[in-house]
Amino acid sequence: MEEILALVDARLRTALGEPDARAAVTFLGTDRFEVLRFRDSEGGTDVVRYVTLGMSGQPMADPSALLADPVKGPRAELVLSVRAGLADTDQVLRPLAVLAASPQVEGVVVAPGGSLDLGTPLWPGAPFSSVLVGESGGLVADLELDPPLEPVRFLPLLPMTPNEAAWKRVRGARELEERWLAHGTDLRDPRRRSVALD
């Protein structure tokens, strides 16, 4: 596990540079999870990225399986990107660690198109309490591991308002993403309103 996390840490530094902050969270009965913060300038606007480190140390197990395979299974880390300075987004560190721990705690397999719900705002005053899991391979390339281990995928998290989460449950992830695209929704705006859903 430690060897895998060292490789993940190195991949993140290669892709995003040096983190300017990191926080560790440990939940009873789980491994230690870290959340790293990276700053980036994108089109003249500062973007802050929060990335988990620790979730990929163990493979995610099929919740219907009688016994979890200690080697085989998908591995992932979570990436949240938001525009800096518009909200107190540094308070997202613990909620992100909670989401990263969900495979160990709840037997959840986190995969693109799925959603994760905290039940509370992602940070104080946030209009989002859930996220849509995006496709990997964009910002940080998948990290190949020696077989039979599956690659570590870096999954972007797209914050959803309660209305968007309800829409996604009924209509599916693809329709919500198409709606965001059609309306030019800035998914990195930590204060954005729900996209028009009528």
Side-chain angles (χ1 to χ4, degrees), residues 14 44-45 54 83-85 90 102 104 114 120 160 162 168 179-180 182 194:
T14 299
T45 306
R83 300 207 178 281
D90 278 351
S102 61
Q104 286 188 32
T120 58
M160 295 187 292
K168 186 260 178 189
R179 182 69 58 147
W180 281 336
S194 181

Side-chain angles (χ1 to χ4, degrees), residues 97-122:
V98 169
L99 296 179
S102 61
Q104 286 188 32
V105 175
E106 300 171 27
V108 174
V109 175
V110 180
S115 53
L116 301 170
D117 194 342
L118 283 162
T120 58
L122 287 175

